[in-house]
Amino acid sequence: VAAAAAVAKGKDNDTLREEQLSRCRLFFGDEGMDALRRAYVVVVGLGGVGSHAANMMARSGVGRMRLVDFDLVTLSSLNRHATATRADVGIPKVEALRATLALAAPFCEVEAVARMYEAAASDELLLLDGRKPDFVLDCIDDAPTKTQLLRYCHTHGIRVVSAMSAGAKADPTRLRIADVSDAVKDPLARKVRWVMNQEHGGVFRVPVVYSTEKTELQLSGLDEAQVESPGDFGALPDFRLRVLPVLGTTPAIFGNAAAAYALCQIGSFALTPVPLDRLSTKVLNKLYQRLLQREKDVFGYAEKASFVQEDLEYVMRYVFYGKSPLSGIGFLQGKTLMLTRWRNDEPASVRNVVCVTPAEAERLRAEGHSAFDPEAVARVNEMLSRVDDWNLVRMCEDGGAG
């Protein structure tokens, strides 16, 4: 009752803050919450995705946050914006969200910057008195601008998570978090990769939130007035007029997923997304039989295998995430992969198997670990150390033990 009365009077103090964030502290622990309190986070793009992401970053205990977006709240954006109301129509999205967060999370110092992100202004828009952000959440929906932001973060060593296209999507079970190179069936991710290749010398690693859902919905058409005078309708010169249909729940899920990823990274909570769907019986059988045949033909080992087919699915999905840890080449890129011994002097097992390309398998057989970069070798060893968690994962997927 006393806390409610203090809140009603607009007060804020350590006691109220601790009570409000008590569930977060149980989740992250003292060290994690201290890291969040000290963190400086930037969210670029405050539409449906970005507003939900920023909302949860503040409510989860981030100490300082900068919001960057040039756009205004419109009536049509209310179906997906996290906090805006009709009273906010016509004001900058960053100001609308800042005002709400001042009431909901007064312990978070929020700065609203009503500007478009431009590469030339990156230092000004992202740095805080020379301090790099602890995390950037990229929620821009324009591929060239988005890629410029991602490039800046990549070259300056700033952690970032990027949201891909939430438009025209509806199925929450298709949501994934993976590297941009693995983001399949997402047109924005495809365009980002193209821009990276054309303008930035190749695709660089960026974790992205995306959906594998295939949609038949198309961009909206233009009415006669928009066709005749398109410059009268865009928010900026040459700005897009045609837009994708949006189910408001999807941007919210994207934004919350991006926030969850960033919060867990800052708070040092172990979170390793699994981008690969369950493998089909046909694929599993092919991997299994090819591994057994390789054991016999290449290594002369014909004893009964110490593992079953289902063990290999765990190794592929939860240990190697459907890609070679030596090169990053993966199933989601349409490449052929196989399993082989990691240590040539031991039979293949769930603790002695690695996912590789056929060429890498031959190098591994002929030259051993010396054929690969020491960092890659260490990465495989670290991954294989996770195999001891297999029984727990299998039990969880089977619905628990009783």
Side-chain angles (χ1 to χ4, degrees):
V1 176
V7 170
K9 293 178 180 179
K11 293 182 178 181
D12 184 46
N13 54 46
D14 291 344
T15 301
L16 295 178
R17 186 181 306 116
E18 285 302 310
E19 175 61 22
Q20 184 171 340
L21 296 173
S22 59
R23 299 298 181 92
C24 294
R25 187 171 295 277
L26 287 173
F27 188 89
F28 288 109
D30 292 341
E31 290 187 7
M33 286 305 297
D34 287 345
L36 288 169
R37 179 181 53 79
R38 295 191 303 268
Y40 163 54
V41 171
V42 179
V43 183
V44 186
L46 272 297
V49 176
S51 62
H52 282 276
N55 183 42
M56 290 312 304
M57 296 299 290
R59 290 173 181 265
S60 299
V62 166
R64 182 152 189 172
M65 184 163 57
R66 179 177 292 172
L67 312 176
V68 181
D69 195 317
F70 71 95
D71 209 0
L72 307 179
V73 176
T74 63
L75 273 172
S76 63
S77 68
L78 296 184
N79 81 314
R80 58 194 181 278
H81 196 278
T83 65
T85 68
R86 286 191 172 191
D88 296 316
V89 171
I91 69 172
K93 291 178 178 178
V94 292
E95 291 291 351
L97 186 56
R98 184 199 60 77
T100 299
L101 294 179
L103 298 175
F107 42 79
C108 179
E109 185 177 347
V110 180
E111 179 185 2
V113 180
R115 289 178 55 182
M116 173 179 275
Y117 175 81
E118 297 176 296
S122 293
D123 288 349
E124 179 185 356
L125 293 174
L126 300 180
L127 304 186
L128 179 65
D129 298 327
R131 174 188 175 184
K132 292 191 291 189
D134 295 284
F135 226 99
V136 170
L137 287 82
D138 159 42
C139 304
I140 300 171
D141 57 8
D142 172 69
T145 308
K146 188 180 201 70
T147 309
Q148 290 171 351
L149 173 60
L150 296 177
R151 179 65 178 177
Y152 181 90
C153 292
H154 177 73
T155 57
H156 289 79
I158 299 172
R159 292 184 293 181
V160 62
V161 61
S162 180
M164 294 293 115
S165 179
K169 304 290 181 74
D171 187 351
T173 68
R174 301 298 184 92
L175 189 75
R176 300 287 185 273
I177 301 178
D179 186 76
V180 67
S181 62
D182 293 328
V184 296
K185 301 180 184 178
D186 189 296
L188 182 55
R190 185 166 56 247
K191 182 68 177 294
V192 166
R193 290 193 296 268
W194 184 88
V195 175
M196 285 180 174
N197 277 315
Q198 294 296 312
E199 301 181 10
H200 301 284
V203 177
F204 43 88
R205 297 183 67 83
V206 178
V208 300
V209 180
Y210 71 102
S211 170
T212 62
E213 180 181 358
K214 184 178 180 180
T215 179
E216 301 298 329
L217 296 175
Q218 303 295 321
L219 287 165
S220 64
L222 303 180
D223 59 32
E224 291 184 10
Q226 290 172 325
V227 172
E228 291 177 2
S229 304
D232 295 339
F233 294 90
L236 292 171
D238 301 321
F239 197 68
R240 68 185 186 281
L241 293 182
R242 300 179 67 198
V243 295
L244 279 170
V246 178
L247 178 66
T249 54
T250 305
I253 295 169
F254 269 59
N256 280 289
Y261 182 87
L263 288 165
C264 287
Q265 293 292 316
I266 297 170
S268 299
F269 183 87
L271 187 153
T272 307
V274 179
L276 194 66
D277 288 329
R278 297 202 71 162
L279 299 174
S280 68
T281 301
K282 181 179 179 181
V283 170
L284 276 176
N285 186 59
K286 185 176 180 179
L287 286 168
Y288 185 67
Q289 294 301 327
R290 189 173 184 182
L291 175 58
L292 294 182
Q293 194 65 43
R294 183 174 176 80
E295 281 289 285
K296 180 180 179 181
D297 295 346
V298 176
F299 297 104
Y301 186 81
E303 301 294 328
K304 183 179 179 180
S306 64
F307 50 85
V308 295
Q309 209 165 272
E310 288 77 9
D311 295 331
L312 298 188
E313 180 177 22
Y314 165 74
V315 169
M316 291 299 296
R317 292 184 72 205
Y318 293 97
V319 178
F320 299 118
Y321 309 114
K323 63 173 63 178
S324 165
L326 299 174
S327 62
I329 294 173
F331 270 130
L332 294 177
Q333 300 167 32
K335 304 299 182 181
T336 299
L337 295 175
M338 59 184 292
L339 292 166
T340 188
R341 291 184 181 187
W342 175 234
R343 296 175 294 276
N344 287 335
D345 58 347
E346 299 177 23
S349 69
V350 290
R351 292 175 177 79
N352 186 41
V353 70
V354 64
C355 173
V356 291
T357 66
E360 290 168 342
E362 287 310 303
R363 288 180 62 197
L364 184 60
R365 178 197 62 79
E367 305 174 53
H369 296 175
S370 63
F372 303 98
D373 182 83
E375 289 187 7
V377 173
R379 184 163 55 247
V380 176
N381 288 329
E382 190 278 328
M383 287 177 160
L384 288 174
S385 70
R386 305 174 191 167
V387 173
D388 290 333
D389 296 331
W390 169 220
N391 286 332
L392 175 61
V393 172
R394 180 163 52 186
M395 185 169 64
C396 290
E397 290 205 338
D398 289 342

